[in-house]
Amino acid sequence: MMALRLSTQRLTREVLKGTPFRPSFPLLESQRRHFATPSTTVAAHDAVGSKGPTAMVFLNMGGPSTTDEVGDFLSRLFADGDLIPLGRLQSYIGPLISTRRTPKIQKQYAAIGGGSPIRKWTEYQNAEMCKILDKISPETAPHKPYVAFRYADPLTEEMYNKLLQDGFGNGRGGRAVAFTQYPQYSCSTTGSSLNELWKWRHRLEGKAASGDDGSISWSVIDRWPAHHGLVEAFAQNIEAKLAEYPEERRKQVVLLFSAHSLPMSVVNRGDPYPSEVAATVHAVMQRLNFSNPYRLCWQSQVGPSAWLGPQTATTVEQYIAKGQKDLVLIPIAFTSDHIETLYELDTEVIGECGHADTVKRADSLNGSPVFIQALADIAKDHLRSGNACSLQMGLRCPGCKSDRCLESKKFFSGQQANIYPIGSKATAL
């Protein structure tokens, strides 16, 4: 059976020789939380071209589910030079910063209910998306939801081991899609998550890029900043919040789109994140027919180094000082509530501005049916495309000097040899 499967893979490659590489946006998926719960092992993959099951892996930063997990979360976060570059002393400075900040951050998580809801929402969004995918993409069904967080449970290593336990890889092959839950690509977020996925793939399955050895075939949805479903979900939440203002003031409400900031060292390296966030903002405003004045600002600066600005809190203070007190904050780079929305925006920015009655925040996407349908549409288009990743993902930042980034991009681009579009001659063999 193994020989038949391998010969079939080689035959399909011969059939598809000369097929152009047209990458599209990659998708990365999350894993289930309770590993103690008995799981149903995925059926062995059909050796003669079966297209399912498909693992849908949501990638995200994650957050501590309890206050006891805050210390470990911060330790991992400040150890990641892709997210917070601290130079050669990262291994020394990172632990110092995380230890010093832990008590303060624990109080913040306690204030929003004792932990981050990001795991709950990520698992819900993925599970609901997979239900839709089973209906609209039956060729690749069943779709199995997994979550891989960068700094909190379930970590990428846990997710990968769960994939292996469920019947993917280990000589059995199988298809997995890494679906980033950062709509706008940054080397410090999506890039860091993919580097981590690449690391554990090699540790647990070996370094061969080919699926001939029965390893998992990966493809990636790496960015989707202006997808019409994402734009519609944001626009509907903004319209709902604007409706809370008196009609005579509504058109003068200033929309403040807020995204997580980046160190200027990362921006100046050529990171595409600022331009992709701006693309989302512009697409949303087009959908709203530019109904209101708006600005893009940035939040969550850490440390003394220069970060992309203006900062959200400062922006609100300065507009209020100018007499503009009708403001709506829109978390434009987040797909669910977490500490940056529930505490930083709601408690610190709005709660301390002195005008909580006129400064409001648009709801996060969370369980929005429009958003979940958008996730399913993005995933379906990706699965049908036969692309391993987008053209953009293969391009390094002009100032990039990271060997890890280089090897990660090579690996995911190299997965193209294992990925075929739905309905091709190869998939019918």
Side-chain angles (χ1 to χ4, degrees):
M1 184 65 79
M2 177 62 74
L4 175 60
R5 183 180 63 77
L6 294 180
S7 64
T8 301
Q9 287 180 341
R10 294 189 183 103
L11 175 60
T12 57
R13 290 194 182 92
E14 291 299 315
V15 171
L16 286 183
K17 272 185 178 177
T19 300
F21 174 35
R22 296 188 302 264
S24 78
F25 298 133
L27 178 64
L28 188 64
E29 179 182 315
S30 309
Q31 148 181 358
R32 290 291 177 191
R33 170 170 189 174
H34 303 292
F35 296 102
T37 304
S39 62
T40 303
T41 301
V42 174
H45 305 283
D46 189 329
V48 193
S50 172
K51 294 167 284 297
T54 305
M56 302 301 299
V57 181
F58 274 17
L59 301 180
N60 212 327
M61 176 185 295
S65 297
T66 68
T67 55
D68 290 339
E69 297 175 18
V70 170
D72 288 341
F73 171 77
L74 292 178
S75 294
R76 298 182 189 112
L77 189 150
F78 283 100
D80 184 7
D82 290 327
L83 180 68
I84 302 176
L86 299 174
R88 291 176 297 174
L89 297 178
Q90 183 107 26
S91 61
Y92 174 74
I93 298 175
L96 288 178
I97 298 175
S98 62
T99 299
R100 181 177 299 176
R101 288 179 63 85
T102 293
K104 175 183 177 181
I105 303 302
Q106 283 179 324
K107 291 179 181 179
Q108 294 180 1
Y109 277 103
I112 64 170
S116 173
I118 192 171
R119 182 172 188 165
K120 175 191 74 174
W121 284 121
T122 304
E123 290 178 340
Y124 174 81
Q125 291 164 348
N126 199 355
E128 293 301 305
M129 179 200 73
C130 284
K131 291 177 184 178
I132 298 174
L133 272 180
D134 285 347
K135 297 177 182 178
I136 66 177
S137 183
E139 306 93 335
T140 52
H143 302 87
K144 305 291 184 178
Y146 297 83
V147 171
F149 282 157
R150 185 65 181 86
Y151 311 114
D153 294 334
L155 296 166
T156 305
E157 177 186 7
E158 299 174 54
M159 179 280 298
Y160 217 114
N161 277 307
K162 188 68 164 56
L163 281 177
L164 299 176
Q165 293 167 17
D166 284 353
F168 293 90
N170 279 336
R172 293 164 292 195
R175 173 78 186 273
V177 178
F179 194 166
T180 179
Q181 293 306 291
Y182 309 101
Q184 306 91 3
Y185 186 95
S186 173
C187 299
S188 62
T189 53
T190 298
S192 179
S193 290
L194 290 175
N195 288 346
E196 188 75 358
L197 177 62
W198 166 79
K199 179 183 80 174
W200 285 107
R201 193 277 187 190
H202 285 0
R203 288 187 180 181
L204 297 175
E205 289 203 273
K207 294 187 177 182
S210 169
D212 285 350
D213 59 353
S215 59
I216 299 170
S217 294
W218 285 95
S219 63
V220 182
I221 301 171
D222 59 86
R223 70 197 79 205
W224 32 288
H227 185 270
H228 61 86
L230 174 72
V231 170
E232 181 64 26
F234 276 129
Q236 288 188 13
N237 285 356
I238 294 169
E239 288 173 333
K241 190 57 59 175
L242 285 172
E244 298 179 9
Y245 291 86
E247 186 173 359
E248 64 273 13
R249 289 161 42 196
R250 196 170 298 158
K251 287 188 177 297
Q252 298 307 313
V253 175
V254 173
L255 305 181
L256 294 180
F257 293 90
S258 184
H260 201 295
S261 187
L262 277 183
M264 287 306 298
S265 59
V266 176
V267 175
N268 292 335
R269 192 172 64 207
D271 195 281
Y273 176 74
S275 62
E276 294 195 6
V277 172
T280 307
V281 171
H282 191 263
V284 171
M285 290 309 303
Q286 278 188 314
R287 158 59 180 80
L288 295 173
N289 294 318
F290 297 95
S291 60
N292 291 72
Y294 67 99
R295 283 292 186 275
L296 171 57
C297 47
W298 309 87
Q299 63 181 94
S300 308
Q301 177 174 327
V302 179
S305 62
W307 282 58
L308 183 63
Q311 287 292 298
T312 302
T314 304
T315 300
V316 170
E317 292 174 0
Q318 291 174 337
Y319 272 125
I320 290 175
K322 291 178 170 63
Q324 178 63 49
K325 299 175 183 178
D326 288 342
L327 305 167
V328 171
L329 302 178
I330 303 117
I332 198 64
F334 305 124
T335 58
S336 68
D337 275 321
H338 53 309
I339 192 74
E340 280 85 357
T341 58
L342 298 176
Y343 189 84
E344 187 174 350
L345 293 183
D346 291 354
T347 301
E348 291 186 327
V349 176
I350 296 177
E352 297 176 8
C353 74
H355 296 277
D357 56 330
T358 61
V359 180
K360 305 174 184 288
R361 176 173 69 85
D363 290 344
S364 298
L365 299 177
N366 294 340
S368 162
V370 175
F371 174 63
I372 293 171
Q373 181 65 53
L375 293 174
D377 291 341
I378 294 167
K380 182 193 72 171
D381 290 345
H382 174 72
L383 289 166
R384 289 178 181 271
S385 73
N387 297 322
C389 61
S390 71
L391 282 173
Q392 272 292 76
M393 184 179 156
L395 182 66
R396 299 171 71 193
C397 294
C400 178
K401 299 178 180 179
S402 169
D403 292 335
R404 179 176 55 178
C405 178
L406 173 63
E407 293 304 317
S408 173
K409 287 180 179 293
K410 281 184 179 179
F411 169 77
F412 288 111
S413 296
Q415 291 287 285
Q416 186 61 42
N418 306 325
I419 306 299
Y420 305 106
I422 301 303
S424 69
K425 291 181 180 180
T427 61
L429 290 173

